[in-house]
Amino acid sequence: MSQGALLFSYGTLQLASVQLRQSGRLLDGSDDILHGYRQIEITIRDPDVLEASGIAVHLALVPDADAPPIPGKVFRLTSEELAAADVYESENYARIEAPLASGATAWVYVKA
């Protein structure tokens, strides 16, 4: 696998069913923490996302400097896998770069 892009996941991208459907493999992630955002819940209506995750209510992030830290996993994805994650996250999310507690900078999906 090439160098790839780092992606921070705090939700359903950590599920094996979603990883297998979107990437065709189980992803090997490492623990990390994101600061500066608050988790909210959103209702998913996209049938493909619902089928992959099996969950109608997903987490999303909104900026909030005073929110508690958000634990998650950092995955190294190929450009094809990152594009597949973009499709999965659909119109509900926007992908931005954010610094993590480890010092790494990773892509993260926030509420669109």
Side-chain angles (χ1 to χ4, degrees), residues 11-105:
T12 61
L13 287 174
Q14 295 180 53
L15 298 174
S17 61
V18 173
Q19 292 177 11
L20 288 170
R21 183 178 176 108
Q22 298 308 120
S23 299
R25 68 182 177 102
L26 291 177
L27 303 175
D28 183 28
S30 58
D31 294 334
D32 215 325
I33 294 173
L34 177 67
H35 293 276
Y37 292 87
R38 173 174 46 89
Q39 292 180 332
I40 63 169
E41 292 182 342
I42 62 172
T43 301
I44 301 298
R45 292 182 175 79
D46 184 314
D48 291 333
V49 175
L50 291 170
E51 184 180 331
S53 70
I55 303 168
V57 177
H58 288 209
L59 296 175
L61 300 180
V62 293
D64 184 344
D66 298 323
I70 298 170
K73 293 276 187 190
V74 177
F75 300 110
R76 186 171 299 278
L77 304 180
T78 65
S79 57
E80 294 83 8
E81 290 169 338
L82 189 58
D86 286 345
V87 170
Y88 171 77
E89 296 296 6
S90 66
E91 74 278 356
N92 297 297
Y93 297 90
R95 179 166 48 95
I96 63 163
E97 283 189 305
L100 303 176
S102 66
T105 297

